[in-house]
Each structure stands twice: as structure tokens, then as C-alpha cells.
Amino acid sequence: MQTKKQDRIADNSPKLMNTYRNFPMVPRVVFGNGSFNQLGEILLPKRKHFDAPVIFLIDDVFEGKELVGRVPLLFNDKIIFISADEEPKTQQVDALVEKIKFDFRELPSGIVGIGGGTVLDLAKAVSILLTNEGSSEKYQGWDLVNKPAIYHVGIPTISGTGAEVSRTAVLLGPDKKLGINSDYTTFDQVVLDPELCIGVDKKQWFYTGMDCFIHCVESLSGTYLNAFSQSYGEKALELCKEVYLEDLSDNESREKLMMASWHGGMSIAYSQVGVAHALSYGLSYLLGVKHGIGNCLVFQYLKEFYPEGVALFNKMKEKHNIELPSGICSNLSDNDFDTMISVALSLEPLWENAIGIDWKCVITPEKLRVIYQKI
Amino acid sequence: MQTKKQDRIADNSPKLMNTYRNFPMVPRVVFGNGSFNQLGEILLPKRKHFDAPVIFLIDDVFEGKELVGRVPLLFNDKIIFISADEEPKTQQVDALVEKIKFDFRELPSGIVGIGGGTVLDLAKAVSILLTNEGSSEKYQGWDLVNKPAIYHVGIPTISGTGAEVSRTAVLLGPDKKLGINSDYTTFDQVVLDPELCIGVDKKQWFYTGMDCFIHCVESLSGTYLNAFSQSYGEKALELCKEVYLEDLSDNESREKLMMASWHGGMSIAYSQVGVAHALSYGLSYLLGVKHGIGNCLVFQYLKEFYPEGVALFNKMKEKHNIELPSGICSNLSDNDFDTMISVALSLEPLWENAIGIDWKCVITPEKLRVIYQKI
């Protein structure tokens, strides 16, 4: 039985079922308050020459802020500010790639993403599309990228998505929300500077942290789990509990949440998310609801699937006086519901992880509709 | 104060005191029972050509065993069996490098270490010395390696040393026991197959697991610690407690100990070992006592420094009916004691981590002699 399960849990992609993923880890990481100051030194040996710039994609909340002055610009490097108001889109990736190719004679020496999940996923996708032909939607899926990406660096400024360590770049495409899952997606370098998270909006802090919490709950109770992912997931969950239920100092809280996000992202190596992420993808796809809040909106109604997790979630929500918006789905048409349900149901590995191989006997469109209607 | 401490704890090498180490992680890892079977496929794209073999350094306990038949030999690949009865030595590295250079016209495509800490550290050192001139003792220290190593793969067959994930290769040299600490030391690929640990001798299993446990106790109570290393160290310690104090199935126990070793090794990124390792290095240097048992021999007498850790250690020892040898130091000369004490005291970062900047006020040769005399 153990072996049977081990076989199935080996991988979270539909492709490799009887082998274990040879997981790409971020090969370089620096951690510490103020470690952002080392970025210039880190980039120096990666600079090819004068004409090959480093492109910094930066969350536009930092426009005009002190952080921008600390970006180690050299030669013809360029900063592009990115709005994180919406989920990252395939067209956005394609437009950025086109612009970079138009503006510079040479391919960049590197792409640096400074921001939350949106900016980090864009940075990963842009670095891939600079060396791989065609539109980014072509690469949404598993292991469709053929050529190594441009050297890319991830610098999170909010914690929880795990985007800094994962091998996916989740994009909204014309007909699906799906990640570019590939070994070339993973960042070549990550800078974990907890001080960059000072000043994050409280609601954002909660929603994004809950992204980590929820995905740990989903992966730890999933059928795909193995000991590798379990150990990372357990540590991430424990850190989330410390951050959201205990009374830590601001500094300790920032440091621990950054590590929670890191371990949570690592736990995905041999695990998979579940019901909340599947339903949240539907919400994002139809309504552009952002991933973090989308997960929260869905998760509160998933007591049937994750009783303990939902109880803890409610405790955290209460402790931090977070009120989730309601009535999001109240004016939707039948057609709208069908769209969300069909996006959610298309994420088969998530359902199989959450419920097991026979998930189709348990999960029906009607059941999902009832949940969406509550939101 | 926080910032002050952060500055000091930034790095465990004497070189970089005001920056944080940009830590090299193993860029590829595969985990799972039977994952050893993927080795052939993993090596294939790394093979340069017919004349550039893969050299497999394998613990000689596997000589004639089934595992050897599963090694994916191709072309003129070679297996070299290594005795792990003694600590790895600089002369041994130099002799292996000379032999490989003599036997083959071309540099190898890769070095694969299959074994415990001794074999893994030899594999790391050999892969470095194949591309860096001179004797291996020249590189004992911090960041003395200039050229990238040959592609090297680590496959642990016993858990606890953390050698599979660390950036050091600890060697006994003519006048010191010290690691080759460098960014090029880290393996390019690790295969974590818990099934390879089936059949490990029970005492070895205990001593090597205690290496992980002890180093977590040392790093978690050390002054160098930061949140990154703390989170890894805590998880490793928790897994050790599960393995050695709870009643897990054999499979679960193997899987969890392998992950304990992994996380324990990662926790060293921004932390340092302490009193037990310093004293144990002295024992190894003078008497060739192996690292795992050496740590145990010392640790039992360190209640003054690690009261909780020593209490847990005694509980684990009892549960598994382990009796440590005694009288090891009973016939040593004054000169011998002085040698051990001087090796131990030379490891300044370990003492600074354990006791603080003013460690020299607390730790005297006499104090160390008293501990050694008990062993």
C-alpha cells in the first residue's frame, strides 16, 4: 500500500507518474534584514556587457519610494514599474518581452523581480519568453519550455505566495489560468530581505499569508504528499500559526512569515494544492479576483474538506479583525457560474490530490455552484 | 541591538562579517523510495563523451551487494570502493585525484558519491581537486577554491551528517581537521532514496543521527542563528525527536531521518556548530575517532552548555540501548591532551557561536582537559 501511494504521489504534474520529480531548487539564496544591499554585488558577475542591461520589474507601490533609489542601476539598466492590482496575464508578459526586445539591441543580462507574487511570476515568465519563441500562453502547462531562461532574480516584498521558490509562473491566459511549470521557471537567485515587507498593507499581509497557510493545509491533507514535502509543509504551517496567532515582535513576525512562504513553496515539490486553489482559480479567471483574497473567500466555506484548517483560519481572521468582502458572486449569471465551475474542474491534479483518484464521484458541478453562491 | 546581532550572525565564515552569505543550495534534488533508479537518466545529459567517464565513489560496505548492480555504468565509467572506517583525509583525496588523472585521458564527466559523510565529503573534495591545482590541504578553510568543480552528485546511504546539502567537505589534513568550505563544494545534484538506508548498522544509525541532533542543539542555542537557519534547525530537531523517541514504522523512520539530515544541513547556512563539534574535532584529529561517535562521546559531558539537549540525548540513548565506549582518553599523555585542546581551541567561530564574543574568558585549556579526561 505504502509503495502504491508512493508511486502516485511521486509528482504533481500529469506527465511523470512513476518517477519522482528531480526538483530544481533555487541555487542561491541570501537571507537577512538589509540583504537587498548586496544586490549590486550579486548582479555584477552576471552582467554580460554594456549593451546587455539588467531589467528590474518593480511593484509600482514602490514608485517614488526610497527602495527605488537603492536599486543598483548600471549602464543602460532599466526599471519597469508593474501594477499588481490585477493577476499577471499572458498578454502582459508578451508585451513586456516585445518592449524589452524593441528597446535593446541585446538580450538582457538579467531580469530582477521586486514585489509580490504578481511581479515575481511576471519576472519568471518574461525571463523565459525572452529566450523561447512565441506567445507565453503556449507554455502554460507542464514542462513545455525548451530553452533556459535569462538569468532571473526574485526579491519578495510581501510573504506568502511561495512564488520566490516555486517552479511555476501562474498566468491568466485568454482561456485559462495556469502556470508555466518548468525547471527553467525557478529563479537563479533569491534575496530574502524581511525589511522590504515593512509597510505592507494589513489586509494584503493577511490575504497573502493565508495563501501560504491554505496551501499548507491543502498539501498536508492531500493524497500526493511524501515525507520531503510534509516536512516543509509542517514547518511552514507552524510558522504561520506563530505569526498569526502568537504575539511576536514586528521584526520576528516579518522574518518568520518570509520563512513560512519559503518552506511552503518548497513543500509543493512533491505535493499539490487542493479544493481552495481549484475554486479560487475559477474566481480569478472570471472576475480577476486576486489569488490571496480569492483563496480566503473560498476557504471559509470549505469546512467539509478542511475542518481544522478552517477553524484555525477563522481564529486568525478574528484576531486580526479581518472582514472578508461578501456578495462577490451574487449577481452572476448561470453562464458565469458555469465558466468558474469549468475552470475549477479542469484542474484535475488538484482534485485528485484533495479527494483521491475517484474525486469525480464526489465533486459535482452542483456542489461547486453551492460554494460559489455563498461567496 | 537586533541589527548588531544580525550583523554578527550574518555568516559563519571568518571572512564576511557584515554581509549575509549568498548561500548555494543544491540545485537539484529528487526524493523517494526507489529514486536511485533515476540516476542513469539524471547522468545522461551530463556525460560529455565516451572518454569522459563518470566515477562512482561507493562505500565498500556495498561491495558485492545488490546496489552495485544497479549503478548505471556506461562506456568506461569506473567504480572505486571507499572504506569509511576512517575519517576522510587530504592524502586520500590527493591519491584519488592522481589515480583518476592517471587512468583517464580526459577529466571525468562527473563524480558520484554513494555512502555516508566520509564518502560524500571525499566525492566533493575529489570533484574540486580535479579542476583546482595542488594538494587538497591548500583548500582547507573558507572560500579558497577558485575554479568550479567537476559535476558531482551526492547519494546518502545513512542519514545525519548533512554532508549531502552542506558547502563543506571536512578533511583530516597533516596538521588540521578542517573543511573545504566553498560555493563549489555543494553537490550539483542529490538523490535522496530512503531505501538505501535499509540495513544500516544500528549503532551507526544512532551515532550518525545524533550528529544531526547535536548540531541542531548547538546551532539553535548559538549566537550566530537567524530566522532562516532557525526554521530549518527546528524542523530537523523535531524530526530527530520523532525518529528517536517515538515509535514510527521503519519506512517512516528512514524517510524522516533523511529529511532531518537535509534540514539540519541547510540550517548551517546561517548558523554554526558549537562545543561538541569543537571537542569532537580534537578527538578525531588525534585518535581518528569518527565524527558521529566522537560527537556522542563529547556531548554526554556537556550538560553545562546544553542541559536540555543532553537530557534528550540520554533519553534517546536509553530507548535504543546504546552504550558508548569509555576510557578512550584514559592512557593519553599530556602532550596528547594538549594536541586535542589546541585543535579544539583553534575553531574560533564554533566557540564564538556557542559562548559569544568573550568566549576566551570562559573557555580555558584546563576546562577542556577536564572534559576530555572523562571520555
Side-chain angles (χ1 to χ4, degrees), chain A residues 59-61 82-89 92 118-119 204 287-291 293:
Chain A
D59 188 317
D60 66 4
V61 295
I82 304 281
S83 162
D85 290 344
E86 296 184 10
E87 295 275 283
K89 295 182 182 57
Q92 202 180 357
T118 295
V119 174
Q204 271 311 314
L287 303 170
V289 174
K290 290 210 67 190
H291 186 70
I293 188 170

Side-chain angles (χ1 to χ4, degrees), chain A residues 87-126:
Chain A
E87 295 275 283
K89 295 182 182 57
T90 51
Q91 304 102 294
Q92 202 180 357
V93 173
D94 297 345
L96 279 165
V97 170
E98 203 175 317
K99 180 175 168 48
I100 293 167
K101 284 189 168 168
F102 183 82
D103 286 354
F104 299 94
R105 277 185 307 169
E106 301 263 345
L107 281 179
S109 295
I111 303 291
V112 180
I114 304 174
T118 295
V119 174
L120 297 183
D121 278 357
L122 277 176
K124 293 197 252 186
V126 165

Side-chain angles (χ1 to χ4, degrees), chain B residues 90-117:
Chain B
T90 51
Q91 304 102 292
Q92 201 180 357
V93 173
D94 297 346
L96 279 165
V97 169
E98 205 175 315
K99 182 176 166 48
I100 292 168
K101 284 188 170 169
F102 182 82
D103 286 353
F104 298 94
R105 280 186 307 171
E106 301 262 346
L107 282 179
S109 295
I111 302 292
V112 180
I114 303 174

Side-chain angles (χ1 to χ4, degrees), chain A residues 2 6 18-35 38 41-42 165 183 189-190 192 226-228 230-232 234-235 238-239 242 251 255-256 259 262-263 266 270, chain B residues 2 6 18-35 38 41-42 165 183 189-190 192 226-228 230-232 234-235 238-239 242 251 255-256 259 262-263 266 270:
Chain A
Q2 189 67 33
Q6 286 274 343
N18 284 309
T19 53
Y20 305 93
R21 165 167 293 139
N22 192 10
F23 190 74
M25 299 219 294
V26 171
R28 287 277 177 166
V29 57
V30 55
F31 176 96
N33 282 328
S35 58
Q38 291 172 230
E41 198 190 323
I42 287 169
V165 74
D183 290 346
Q189 166 83 53
V190 168
L192 297 175
N226 72 2
F228 185 96
Q230 187 186 353
S231 67
Y232 281 103
E234 284 172 350
K235 189 65 208 174
E238 199 182 288
L239 289 165
E242 282 187 58
N251 180 57
E255 290 188 340
K256 292 205 167 192
M259 288 313 299
W262 180 256
H263 292 310
M266 276 302 299
Y270 301 101
Chain B
Q2 188 66 34
Q6 285 274 342
N18 285 307
T19 53
Y20 305 92
R21 165 166 295 139
N22 191 10
F23 189 74
M25 299 219 292
V26 170
R28 288 276 177 167
V29 57
V30 55
F31 177 94
N33 282 327
S35 58
Q38 291 172 229
E41 198 190 324
I42 287 168
V165 73
D183 290 346
Q189 166 83 53
V190 167
L192 298 175
N226 72 2
F228 185 95
Q230 186 185 355
S231 68
Y232 281 103
E234 285 172 350
K235 189 66 209 175
E238 199 182 288
L239 289 165
E242 282 187 58
N251 179 57
E255 291 188 339
K256 293 205 168 191
M259 289 313 299
W262 180 256
H263 292 310
M266 276 301 301
Y270 300 101

